[in-house]
Amino acid sequence: MPKNKKPRGGRPAANFEPRYGAKKTSFHDRHAGAREGARPERGGFRADAGERRSAPAAGGYDRRPGSRSAGHRGYRPAEAETGAPKQRWSAQERAGRDEARSIRNRAESGRRETPHHRDERPRFDERSERPRYNDRPTAGRRFDDRPRRDDRGAERPRFERDGQRPTGPGTYRDDRGAERPRFNRDERPQRDDRGFADRGDRAGARNERPRFDRGAERPRFNRDERPQRDDRAERPRFNDRGAERRRFDRDERPRRDDRGSDRARFNDASSAERPARSYDADRARRAFDRDRAQRSIEGGRDERSRPSTGGAYRTERPRRDDRTGGDSRPSRNDWNAKPKAAFEPTDDVVHERLEAKSVAAVEVDGVSFADLGLGSNIVETLANMGAASPFAIQAASIPAVLSGRDVLARGRTGSGKTIAFGAPLVENVLKSQAGKRREFGRSPRAIILAPTRELALQIDRTIQPIARSVGLFTTQIYGGVPQGRQVGALKKGVDIVIGTPGRVEDLINQGKLDLSDCRIAVLDEADHMCELGFVEPVQRILRHTADGSQKLLFSATLDREVAALVDEFLVDPAVYEVAGEDQDSSTIEHRVLVIEHRDKADILTSLVDREGKTLVFARTRAYADMLAEQFDDAGIPAVSLHGDLNQAKRTRNLERLTSGRVNVLVATDVAARGIHVDDIDLVVQADAPDEYKTYLHRSGRTGRAGRSGRVVTLITRQRQRRMTELLQRAEIDAPFENARLDDDLIEEIAGRVPTAADLTA
DNA sequence: AAAAAAC
C-alpha cells in the first residue's frame, strides 16, 4: 500500500490545471498517469474508478467524478473532468521521452567524445601558469545573473548559520523534511507553483539564501602571522622526498595485510610473496617498455587466419566445463608463451600491467581513419563527430580489430577508447553481413558490455551515429527501465547491443535476446568487469556469443585482473597501449590536502563553491546524498549520482551537470569510470579511494582529451601513508599539503584567488 | 567494506 501514502488530494485546484499546456506535460501527466494507475488498487474506489474508466468508451454519459472536496485524496476539480480524458504516460512514451533526451544530447556528445585540442595541449611545465578563474574566458559567464554572495543573507529563511551551522550527518535530513522535495532548486523557480502548495514561499526565499560565507563566520587568518603556514615550506613535498624518506616510512610501517588485496584473488601465491616494488624501479621498467615500442600498425595486420590457428590454440586449454568447479583459475597462463601477449611475471610487478605493444603519438601523425581501413561513411561520420584523425590508441587498435583479432587495449582516460573499438566494430559488422538483407528479427551481431548504465548510454550515443551511417541499428539493454521497449527493439532486429550485464543476462534467460549470432563482444572497462561479482555474469554472457567470436577488452587500467576472461575467451590477443602516457604527459594536476576531520564538511563546501563544473566523489551512497544536500543548503546547487537513485533520477542528475544547470555533482564510484562530461575542471575526492585504479579513473573525469584539470583528494593525517602508496602505484606525483578551513590553498584550488595578473589588469 | 549489475 505504499502508493496510497502519496498525497493526492490537498493540492489547490489551480495546480491541476493543464495550464502549462504541452510544454509541461512531463510533470503533470506523469503524475496524472500515476494516479490513474493507482486508484483501482484502493478498495473504496474500485467500483468508482472502474466506472469512470469505462465511461469515455461508453460515449460520455455523465461520468461520476472523484471526490469534490479538496483535501480528499480522490479529489479532482470539475475543470479537469471536462477536459480531454487523461492520458496515461505509458512506459513506451516514457521511454520515448528518454530517447528524445539522449537524441538531444547526441550532437554534443559526438563532439565531446573527441578532443579538439590535441595540438594546443599545454605542456606540463606550462600548466603552472594556467589562467586563474578571473582570467578565464568563461569566467562568470553562466552565473552573472545569480545573486552574489554579498547580496544575500539578510532574509535567509531556514536556519541561522551565524551561531552554528548544522553539519553533522544527523542534521541535514531532519532539517529538510519531505515537504521540500529535492527538485525544488534555485535553478528551477518556475516549478514552485506547480504541485506542492506549501513550498512556494520557501522556495522563493531559498533563492535569497546566502552562499556559504566563510568570511563572515570565521575570521581569516593573516597568512603571514599564521605559524602553520611557515613550516609548510619545510615540509617535504612528495616530489622532493627521496628514497631515504620512503625507506623510513617503510621500516616503521607494519606490513600491510590488505595490500594488493584486490589482486590476491587473482594469484594468491604471487601476491603473498610480492615484494614492495620501488616506485623508481617501476618507472624504469615503463621507460624500457617505451623504448622498445614497435609500430603497432604493422603488428595489427594479422598473419594468422583466425579460425584455424585460433581453434588449435583453444583446444589445448581445458574446456570451460572442466573448470567451473574447484580452483577457479588455471595456474598456467598460456599467454606467457606468446610473445605478443605476454604478462609480466607476477612476482615482479606491482601494477601487473599487461605487457603491451606501445604505439607512440608521433607514429600516428598523418595517418587518417581511412588509412586504417575504415569505410568512407564511417570516416565521414567520425569527422562530423569531431574526430578528424585518429588518436594513438585508435590508430593502434582499429587495424587489429578490423583484422578480426582479439584485442586488449589500454588507453588513458579520455583518450578516445570508445571510437577505438566502436568504429571498427561497426565496420566488421557491416562486412559480415555484406550482401545480406537486414531481416526483421535478426539477432545481434555484436554486443558491448559496460559496468554502469550511464556508461552504456554514453557508448551508445557515440556508436549509434556511426552505425546508422552505414544502416546498422543499435539498442541499449540495461536495467532500471521497463524492458518492453528494449525487447521490442530486439524483436524488430538490431545489429549492435550495448548494455549492462544484469539486464542482458536477464533477457537472454527469458529467451528474448539471442547472442548465438554475435560475432564480436566488447568489454569496456574490462578490468572492472572482471572484478569479483561482476565477472561471473560477464562470463556467462560471453559463453552465449557465437563460437570463436572476436573479443575486445578495453580499459584505462587494463591489468592481469582480466586474465580470467582472457584465458577462457581470447585467442592470441593483440595488446596495445600508448607510449608516453605518464604523469609528465598528463594534463591533470593532482594535489592531496591533509585536513582535520572536523573541517572536512566546511572545506568541501568551500571547494565546490566555485565557477566551473566540479565532480565530488564519496565512498558511500548515503554520504554522496548528504554532501549534495549540504552543498545545496549552502546555496550551491548540487545533485547526486549513485545506485540508490532510480534510473530516471540518475539520468536526470547527470544531465543536469552535463547541461550546466548545476555545477556540482556528488557521486559514488558509479561515476568513476567512463563517464564523459565536458569541462569538469575539478575533481574532489571527499573520500580517498582504496585502489589506485579507482584513483586513476576518478581523476580521469577531468582532463579529458587533453584539456587541463585538477584533482584534489582530502585525507586525514592518519591516511597519509596509505595515500602515498596509492599514488605510487598510480604513478602520480602529488604534493601533500596541510590545509585548514580558511586556507588560501583552498581558495586557490577552487580557483577563487585573484592572481597577480588579475591585480595588474 | 562499498559500489555496481535484474526482476
Side-chain angles (χ1 to χ4, degrees):
Chain A
M1 286 284 174
K3 279 180 184 167
N4 294 348
K5 289 191 182 143
K6 236 184 247 176
R8 292 199 181 81
R11 302 176 189 175
N15 287 334
F16 284 96
E17 277 303 296
R19 60 196 161 101
Y20 291 96
K23 274 281 189 197
K24 301 292 182 186
T25 51
S26 70
F27 180 84
H28 182 83
D29 288 2
R30 190 166 44 223
H31 286 259
R35 279 197 305 278
E36 294 243 330
R39 186 167 300 142
E41 290 179 17
R42 250 197 329 264
F45 276 76
R46 192 164 291 144
D48 208 39
E51 214 173 302
R52 196 184 60 76
R53 283 193 305 168
S54 61
Y61 67 91
D62 184 29
R63 294 178 300 160
R64 291 184 54 200
S67 167
R68 294 262 176 202
S69 62
H72 193 283
R73 53 188 181 178
Y75 171 66
R76 283 177 298 135
E79 292 86 351
E81 296 300 323
T82 63
K86 280 174 188 157
Q87 297 188 341
R88 287 205 63 163
W89 188 273
S90 74
Q92 253 157 19
E93 285 167 303
R94 212 176 297 127
R97 180 201 55 196
D98 291 338
E99 173 76 0
R101 273 187 197 147
S102 65
I103 287 170
R104 216 180 306 138
N105 294 333
R106 205 160 288 148
E108 300 162 66
S109 74
R111 247 172 286 123
R112 260 185 267 126
E113 190 61 25
T114 312
H116 308 279
H117 304 304
R118 254 166 104 215
D119 297 326
E120 302 107 66
R121 174 194 301 181
R123 301 308 310 164
F124 182 63
D125 42 343
E126 292 166 5
R127 265 187 292 132
S128 55
E129 277 149 38
R130 181 189 307 117
R132 297 296 174 202
Y133 153 60
N134 288 325
D135 219 18
R136 276 184 259 146
T138 55
R141 178 193 41 174
R142 194 169 294 130
F143 289 109
D144 273 345
D145 51 344
R146 195 171 53 175
R148 305 313 302 170
R149 256 184 236 184
D150 320 329
D151 309 329
R152 317 177 183 184
E155 335 136 82
R156 191 173 24 132
R158 300 300 306 273
F159 47 78
E160 296 310 322
R161 193 166 289 153
D162 301 326
Q164 82 284 11
R165 200 170 151 263
T167 46
T171 53
Y172 78 104
R173 269 189 196 285
D174 309 338
D175 186 52
R176 340 173 67 204
E179 82 274 14
R180 198 191 57 77
R182 286 293 309 268
F183 51 74
N184 179 16
R185 293 274 162 76
D186 317 7
E187 77 275 16
R188 295 220 265 181
Q190 78 278 12
R191 281 208 170 218
D192 293 341
D193 52 353
R194 247 201 278 161
F196 296 86
D198 59 340
R199 135 189 121 160
D201 292 346
R202 182 177 305 125
R206 237 176 105 68
N207 291 338
E208 304 298 315
R209 186 181 300 168
R211 311 268 316 216
F212 176 54
D213 192 338
R214 260 160 284 91
E217 290 166 30
R218 297 167 209 88
R220 296 188 61 94
F221 290 104
N222 183 337
R223 202 194 150 111
D224 298 329
E225 51 190 42
R226 203 164 19 168
Q228 174 240 348
R229 293 286 298 195
D230 295 336
D231 55 38
R232 185 177 301 167
E234 319 263 299
R235 188 180 314 123
R237 312 265 287 201
F238 179 76
N239 328 354
D240 303 328
R241 270 189 238 153
E244 193 178 79
R245 168 62 183 261
R246 281 204 294 279
R247 211 180 316 117
F248 168 73
D249 281 351
R250 191 163 291 147
D251 292 345
E252 177 196 45
R253 168 182 59 203
R255 195 71 179 84
R256 289 184 55 87
D257 298 324
D258 57 343
R259 248 177 159 202
S261 60
D262 51 311
R263 287 183 308 277
R265 60 178 173 269
F266 168 68
N267 189 334
D268 296 335
S270 69
S271 80
E273 69 194 21
R274 183 185 310 123
R277 249 179 88 99
S278 100
Y279 180 61
D280 299 323
D282 193 59
R283 285 239 153 194
R285 183 183 63 77
R286 277 175 53 83
F288 169 73
D289 278 351
R290 238 171 280 138
D291 290 341
R292 58 181 179 76
Q294 304 162 43
R295 278 197 67 93
S296 67
I297 297 169
E298 309 163 354
R301 297 291 174 200
D302 194 14
E303 58 289 349
R304 169 185 71 111
S305 110
R306 235 185 97 77
S308 50
T309 58
Y313 182 78
R314 285 203 143 181
T315 51
E316 341 173 331
R317 287 175 298 154
R319 299 314 306 170
R320 58 180 75 125
D321 305 334
D322 302 336
R323 58 173 93 152
T324 48
D327 188 18
S328 58
R329 246 153 264 163
S331 56
R332 179 176 60 99
N333 188 342
D334 293 325
W335 283 33
N336 288 331
K338 304 277 174 183
K340 273 181 184 159
F343 280 131
E344 295 276 322
T346 45
D347 53 359
D348 190 33
V349 236
V350 161
H351 294 266
E352 296 191 325
R353 293 167 183 269
L354 301 171
E355 194 172 303
K357 198 167 295 176
S358 311
V359 57
V362 284
E363 297 178 64
V364 305
D365 260 7
V367 178
S368 72
F369 280 115
D371 297 338
L372 298 173
L374 296 175
S376 59
N377 278 352
I378 293 177
V379 172
E380 194 184 323
T381 309
L382 289 173
N384 290 339
M385 293 166 66
S389 56
F391 291 163
I393 191 65
Q394 295 162 354
S397 55
I398 287 174
V401 174
L402 289 176
S403 76
R405 274 187 85 162
D406 290 347
V407 172
L408 304 179
R410 174 171 55 233
R412 184 157 71 193
T413 55
S415 66
K417 288 187 289 292
T418 308
I419 289 176
F421 63 73
L425 173 138
V426 170
E427 180 80 34
N428 278 0
V429 170
L430 182 68
K431 273 190 282 190
S432 79
Q433 36 176 244
K436 281 189 220 161
R437 213 161 49 89
R438 278 189 278 285
E439 298 166 13
F440 186 89
R442 65 194 178 278
S443 53
R445 312 297 293 251
I447 184 166
I448 301 169
L449 291 175
T452 64
R453 300 166 187 169
E454 283 75 15
L455 188 49
L457 263 160
Q458 180 184 295
I459 293 170
D460 187 44
R461 263 183 245 129
T462 300
I463 296 203
Q464 194 175 56
I466 304 175
R468 293 300 280 269
S469 74
V470 294
L472 298 178
F473 288 81
T474 68
T475 197
Q476 309 147 2
I477 305 285
Y478 58 83
V481 294
Q483 61 179 41
R485 202 175 65 100
Q486 298 174 355
V487 172
L490 290 172
K491 273 187 184 148
K492 281 198 277 183
V494 296
D495 305 287
I496 300 165
V497 162
I498 298 152
T500 49
R503 177 64 63 87
V504 167
E505 199 183 11
D506 191 8
L507 293 190
I508 290 175
N509 293 338
Q510 292 182 42
K512 291 170 176 165
L513 172 57
D514 172 22
L515 292 182
S516 62
D517 204 22
C518 182
R519 312 290 176 82
I520 308 178
V522 183
L523 295 187
D524 199 10
E525 308 298 343
D527 57 315
H528 188 43
M529 304 282 274
C530 288
E531 280 171 21
L532 213 59
F534 243 135
V535 72
E536 292 92 348
V538 169
Q539 285 171 323
R540 288 191 296 263
I541 291 167
L542 289 181
R543 285 169 195 152
H544 279 98
T545 62
D547 237 13
S549 61
Q550 181 181 15
K551 311 291 192 303
L552 312 176
L553 273 53
F554 279 69
S555 178
T557 54
L558 202 63
D559 59 9
R560 284 185 55 99
E561 198 151 19
V562 297
L565 288 183
V566 170
D567 280 345
E568 178 176 352
F569 296 103
L570 275 73
V571 180
D572 185 26
V575 189
Y576 295 113
E577 72 176 0
V578 177
E581 288 197 337
D582 57 11
Q583 175 81 13
D584 291 348
S585 72
S586 172
T587 52
I588 304 173
E589 179 195 15
H590 301 267
R591 323 175 70 149
V592 177
L593 295 192
V594 183
I595 61 164
E596 297 289 341
H597 189 263
R598 63 170 179 273
D599 290 341
K600 185 169 173 180
D602 288 340
I603 286 179
L604 282 167
T605 306
S606 180
L607 277 172
V608 301
D609 184 9
R610 60 191 294 276
E611 309 286 334
K613 289 177 186 170
T614 310
L615 178 54
V616 181
F617 281 105
R619 198 177 62 101
T620 66
R621 304 160 174 187
Y623 189 43
D625 251 354
M626 187 191 126
L627 283 178
E629 301 257 357
Q630 176 191 314
F631 298 154
D632 227 39
D633 280 349
I636 307 162
V639 289
S640 61
L641 179 63
H642 55 77
D644 263 354
L645 302 177
N646 63 39
Q647 192 53 39
K649 280 184 188 150
R650 283 170 63 162
T651 309
R652 188 190 66 195
N653 286 356
L654 181 58
E655 196 273 338
R656 280 192 178 175
L657 182 74
T658 312
S659 65
R661 295 183 72 157
V662 302
N663 265 357
V664 180
L665 178 72
V666 189
T668 59
D669 281 332
V670 69
R673 284 174 178 254
I675 301 304
H676 181 105
V677 174
D678 258 357
D679 301 331
I680 293 179
D681 52 8
L682 177 64
V683 167
V684 177
Q685 307 201 64
D687 299 307
D690 290 325
E691 234 198 308
Y692 82 91
K693 291 200 281 181
T694 308
Y695 185 101
L696 287 172
H697 285 282
R698 284 176 171 188
S699 56
R701 296 318 99 207
T702 186
R704 307 284 290 176
R707 290 172 192 257
S708 66
R710 237 178 240 183
V711 179
V712 55
T713 307
L714 301 192
I715 60 167
T716 52
R717 231 162 33 78
Q718 302 89 291
R719 189 143 181 148
Q720 283 182 95
R721 194 167 298 143
R722 239 170 106 188
M723 194 64 199
T724 305
E725 287 177 2
L726 183 142
L727 288 171
Q728 283 177 16
R729 289 191 175 187
E731 301 186 344
I732 283 170
D733 296 327
F736 283 52
E737 298 159 287
N738 282 343
R740 313 237 324 215
L741 189 48
D742 280 312
D743 232 312
D744 291 339
L745 197 55
I746 292 168
E747 302 286 313
E748 185 200 327
I749 292 171
R752 285 193 301 261
V753 181
T755 61
D758 295 325
L759 295 175
T760 55

